[in-house]
Amino acid sequence: MEAGAPPPLEPSPLPTFAEEGFGEKFLRKTRENPLVPLGCLCTVGVLTYGLISFRKGNTRRSQLMMRARVLAQGFTFAALLGGMVATAIKSR
């Protein structure tokens, strides 16, 4: 067997990244997966409307909105998982 060059004694330096604030990170993540913030907004909107209906005594509308909230949360969770899978596939 032929001997190649010996492995380097010093490990390769790790890449450095610029400091990223909350706003920059939020915008970057929103651009990467825009469905998650949209799902969160829908969930909060439906929840708020359901609570207002509950407060007014409209129990039928309140129950309908709570079911819609569960659907909106499911959409948000699916968007989150889809974004994670897409990021994992893209990083390969």
Side-chain angles (χ1 to χ4, degrees):
M1 287 195 340
E2 290 183 32
L9 297 176
E10 296 293 322
S12 60
L14 295 174
T16 57
F17 298 101
E19 227 11 77
E20 187 177 39
F22 176 77
E24 293 90 16
K25 184 174 183 179
F26 179 77
L27 289 175
R28 180 176 54 85
K29 292 288 188 178
T30 300
R31 278 187 223 108
E32 288 175 6
N33 195 356
L35 294 178
V36 172
L38 179 68
C40 290
L41 287 174
C42 288
T43 301
V44 168
V46 170
L47 175 65
T48 303
Y49 187 61
L51 289 173
I52 290 170
S53 297
F54 180 73
R55 180 122 169 109
K56 289 183 178 179
N58 191 349
T59 56
R60 183 175 172 89
R61 173 74 43 109
S62 175
Q63 283 295 316
L64 182 66
M65 290 297 107
M66 291 303 116
R67 291 180 186 136
R69 177 191 55 86
V70 171
L71 289 175
Q73 282 180 310
F75 171 78
T76 305
F77 185 71
L80 186 64
L81 282 178
M84 288 172 49
V85 168
T87 302
I89 290 172
K90 189 181 356 176
S91 68
R92 285 186 174 186

